[in-house]
Amino acid sequence: MLNKKILLADDDELFASLLIFRLKKAGFQVTHVTDGKQAKEHLVDNLPDIVVFDIMMPYFSGIELIDHVRNEVKSNIPIIIVSSAGNEENVLNALEMGANDFMSKPVSPSELLVRVTRELKKM
Amino acid sequence: MFHKALTYSPITLIRAPKIHTDLLWDLVVLFIVLSVLYFVSVFYFRNKLSKASKKLKEKKTEFSPIVSEFLFYDETDSKTEKSNYINLKIQIRELLKDKYNRKVLTDVLLDLRKDVSGQTQINLFELYQNLELHKDAYVKLKSWKWQIVTSGILELTKMQVSESYTFLIKFINDKRPTIRKHAEIAVVTLDDRGISYFLDTTKYRISEWQQLKLLDVLRNKENFEIPKFKLWLTSKNKHVVLFALRLIKYYNQNDATKSLIPLIKHKSNQIKQEAINCIEEFYVEEAIDTLKLVFWKSSEDVKMSILSAIATIGTENDLDFLVEIEQRVRSFAVRSKAISTINEIAPETILPSDHIEKDTAFENTIPDIIEHEDAPEISISDQLQQKLEEKNVVEEVKENNTDEIIENHNDILVEVEDKKDNIDEVLTEKEIEEDLELTEVTKQEDVVESERENVTELPVEVEEESVLEENINQNEVLQNIEVVAESIAQNQKQMDINREEEEINEELKISLDFLPLVIEEQEEKGIQEPKAVVEDEVIVENRELDLSFLPLVIANTEDFVRHSVTSNPEEITSQKVDSNEPELQDSIDFMELDFLPFVENTDQNFKEEQAIQSLDNLFDFIPKPHQISDEESEKLLLLADIEEFGDAREIPLLDEYLANEKSPFLIERIEEIMEEIVKRTPFVIPKEKEELIEDSSLVRGFISEIFANQDVESQLILLKEIAIVGDEKEAAFLRTLIKETSEAVVVEKANEALTIIKDRLSIEAQNTNLNEEPPVTQEVDLSEDEKSEETDSMFDVNFELSPNTEDIDITLKTEKKKDNKSTSFGSQLSEISKRIKDILNGQ
């Protein structure tokens, strides 16, 4: 899994830094953006191997980013949603739009690492 | 400035005040300064807050990797990482010397705590305590400000500082409710003994919301051994008892049954209700007596809970208690609950009764329902069943009313049974019985109803209750009824007869034709006999009323006796004329009753009269039956079909019927149909024109028309045939032919034929005179016709060709004679046509 590129889009920088630390420690190249606009730009410039989105973000929500990835970028890269808004509606919506996995906060960073690894292995 | 201001005159109400311009400028300057100060202050404080926020963010950014490093440190990491970890520890200890940094780090850890779970969260708690940040929380607990103390308790609780338990328990009975409530949560959260300590020591009220939060904490505690909450059922704090009851119910601690029963008698309704809920939940049968005991002094809510518990754990032994509740308690909810409880213990003990209409309410709606498309169909069997039920009610009335009624109707029923054997091949015996009984029921209903409403127009339906109520004093009522409106009763009698006929026919859809005569063996009396009802007269009346063929026999001569019209038949007529029905009156006016036979009652009818007399005219309203045998009814049906679909071809058949029929009304009916057919058939020759037709034109017209359409040769052949079979009619034709025809050969042949016919006729006339037989006329009666054996020739039949010669429609005159040869119109017609065809073909 070395050098696999992960795009992490989350406006909670403290939590993001925790995940970044954990993912980097596992050998991933993590790019962190704090809003949906930056995430779209990064997807155009440099398509990652896997993306981790939050749902509630400025400019574009995680659901809109899923739609962007699937329909505009037309990429099948794994998408994992990590959100505190883990109600049934959001989960179903995200999965229907094309997300590969959904994790509700509080999240165990180790568990997220396992899920990311698993999704990458599926490719 | 003030001096100048004072130099102005006082402000008036008329003109605007004069303010010095300098004063206005001064005020403008003042407000500008204040505005500047306001905006400067806003800018300053906003900037300050932004800087603080920015600084905090920077500090968090600075601390977050350090925290991450500490959180994800692993002993298996490389030496470099371990070295880095040690350096970070040293660095963070230096940072934590600063109070602000401690605060920031605490915030970071508290923020991360809500986002992470699992081992990372545990590491976070450990880090918090390793960095001795919890000591800052302890300091807060000593603050005199409630909010600081509360934040300290909350911080210790969130970061799971178990050792703070001993510091926090003292806040359980704190006077400040916010601190107390956070302390309660903290104590229960931080230590397993916390709930016991809390329940033991708390002296304050535990709010509903607090109970929910405490329950939530207990639910989410891992490896938590739940205490026996029955221990706190004896608490002096009733809120603790209540909370304990709820916890007992939630955790299904059903070993507290003995403690629960006394709580049913608790003064607090809340505790009482909760205890009852537990008793119901744990099926504490021993508590049922206590439940009954406390029921009557409990509030409505508690009563409902008790009833609910009894519904669950009660037995049929408790039904009396529940019935007592249903009868004594005024509360609608409790009564309803009691009824439902009864039905729960003993299903369907109490059936729906309120707002349920009586069966009799649907009695007269049955035909309407059947006619309605959407309504479900009600079978006749259902209707009969309903009638039989009603009959039972009326039978009760009969039993309670008078024995005379019973005897009388038994007599009638016996008579009906006797008659029944002679009739009815269509209906089964059972159906007959039902119908007869139903008829009796209907009569009884009408009698009672009419009696009660003083012979007025009323609906037939009889309310069961009203019948039973009437039943109580029925004897007295019946005995006290005086015949004060006999004429009204007489009218009502006829109306009831018609009404019952309609009702029975419409509702039951069963013909009453088979019903027997009440009086059959009427002996003809002399014309001066006072009790007389003429059958034929009634038939005429019925025809006027469109009852047509039904032989209505009025057997109840008691009417006339009662109305003192027994001495003179004319008075009988006048009595009937007094009725409200003009048709009847008219029909009676022209009738001659002198020649009609009088009818005398038999012994059976005498019994009936006795019963009727005892009922004081009640049976005036019972419809009189009509007797028509099955054979007659079949004939009537056949005649109806003939009337509807028949034409002139049925006249011979009707002739035959007419000859064989002995029943007067059937004879009249046949005659009516024949007249009807004659009227609507254009080819039928009216009776009064028969002779005219016979003498002249029609027969001659037929022969002459045939004759004219033939050539000379054919005419000669035809004349030859006429000479063989012709009679007077053909002779007349031949005379006309001789005068009008120019063909000499034809005239010669016609003369020959005429001579032959004349000779034959003269010989026949001589033979007739010798035999002295009377001449056969058209207007003989039936008896004479039957004796007549005259053989008609084919030309004896009066007929006429239609304008279209191909369509030979021949009509027969309506002769009242029975002659098979003359009535076989079809055979004559075929014979004629065959004969003509042969002639035309030269055979």
Side-chain angles (χ1 to χ4, degrees), chain B residues 768-821:
Chain B
T768 303
N769 291 331
L770 289 173
N771 293 333
E772 295 181 353
E773 288 183 359
V776 179
T777 60
Q778 299 293 334
E779 300 299 329
V780 291
D781 60 18
L782 277 174
S783 59
E784 292 171 343
D785 283 340
E786 287 173 358
K787 295 173 184 175
S788 174
E789 294 297 329
E790 181 186 11
T791 304
D792 295 335
S793 68
M794 70 176 184
F795 289 105
D796 284 343
V797 180
N798 295 319
F799 58 88
E800 178 187 27
L801 286 178
S802 68
N804 184 3
T805 55
E806 294 176 3
D807 184 13
I808 306 172
D809 286 333
I810 302 172
T811 58
L812 294 171
K813 69 175 186 179
T814 56
E815 295 176 337
K816 293 181 178 178
K817 59 183 179 180
K818 181 188 176 185
D819 189 335
N820 290 332
K821 291 180 180 177

Side-chain angles (χ1 to χ4, degrees), chain B residues 391-500:
Chain B
K391 180 219 169 196
N392 293 333
V393 174
V394 178
E395 280 180 352
E396 290 178 11
V397 175
K398 281 204 307 186
E399 290 171 1
N400 294 326
N401 280 344
T402 170
D403 293 332
E404 293 177 0
I405 299 174
I406 298 169
E407 291 174 6
N408 176 43
H409 283 271
N410 285 338
D411 292 338
I412 297 171
L413 288 172
V414 167
E415 182 182 342
V416 166
E417 289 292 330
D418 293 336
K419 300 296 176 187
K420 183 185 67 181
D421 296 333
N422 299 327
I423 56 176
D424 189 38
E425 294 176 0
V426 179
L427 296 173
T428 64
E429 189 170 335
K430 185 179 178 182
E431 289 171 340
I432 293 169
E433 284 180 4
E434 289 175 349
D435 293 337
L436 293 172
E437 287 171 0
L438 290 175
T439 307
E440 290 296 321
V441 170
T442 310
K443 290 173 184 175
Q444 284 285 359
E445 289 174 356
D446 288 344
V447 168
V448 175
E449 192 75 17
S450 302
E451 188 65 44
R452 189 176 56 198
E453 297 298 328
N454 197 20
V455 200
T456 56
E457 187 68 22
L458 288 172
V460 180
E461 60 180 337
V462 180
E463 290 286 333
E464 289 181 11
E465 290 181 358
S466 63
V467 170
L468 293 173
E469 288 172 6
E470 288 285 330
N471 183 23
I472 297 169
N473 297 321
Q474 189 72 19
N475 280 325
E476 294 178 11
V477 172
L478 293 173
Q479 290 171 4
N480 294 329
I481 291 173
E482 295 179 4
V483 184
V484 292
E486 292 178 351
S487 61
I488 296 172
Q490 186 70 14
N491 297 338
Q492 186 67 29
K493 172 188 156 189
Q494 187 61 42
M495 292 167 66
D496 287 344
I497 289 169
N498 296 333
R499 187 179 63 191
E500 288 187 9

Side-chain angles (χ1 to χ4, degrees), chain A residues 6-74:
Chain A
I6 299 176
L7 174 63
L8 176 62
D10 197 334
D11 56 341
D12 185 353
E13 295 184 13
L14 195 60
F15 175 68
S17 66
L18 198 68
L19 295 182
I20 291 166
F21 183 87
R22 186 68 186 93
L23 291 170
K24 281 185 175 177
K25 193 175 181 179
F28 293 100
Q29 295 181 13
V30 182
T31 304
H32 176 231
V33 293
T34 54
D35 57 58
K37 192 176 179 181
Q38 293 178 18
K40 276 191 175 182
E41 291 170 355
H42 186 82
L43 287 168
V44 173
D45 296 337
N46 190 6
L47 191 66
D49 298 309
I50 188 170
V51 292
V52 178
F53 292 146
D54 188 10
I55 288 182
M56 305 296 290
M57 288 189 297
Y59 301 110
F60 299 106
S61 70
I63 302 295
E64 290 171 315
L65 290 177
I66 296 170
D67 183 61
H68 176 75
V69 171
R70 296 292 183 232
N71 297 325
E72 295 181 19
V73 181
K74 297 189 183 303

Side-chain angles (χ1 to χ4, degrees), chain B residues 4 7 23 34 41 76 136 161 174 191 264 283 299 304 312 338 581 613 635 663 698 700 736 753-754 796:
Chain B
K4 286 181 180 177
T7 59
L23 179 59
L34 289 173
S41 63
T76 59
D136 295 337
V161 185
D174 196 280
D191 198 297
I264 300 171
Y283 212 80
S299 66
M304 298 289 283
T312 305
E581 302 195 19
Q613 197 170 13
K635 286 181 179 177
S663 175
L698 288 176
R700 286 205 306 271
T736 308
L754 183 60
D796 284 343

Side-chain angles (χ1 to χ4, degrees), chain B residues 251-264:
Chain B
Y251 287 106
N252 287 320
Q253 296 178 345
N254 57 2
D255 55 347
T257 54
K258 289 184 179 177
S259 302
L260 290 173
I261 294 172
L263 291 175
I264 300 171

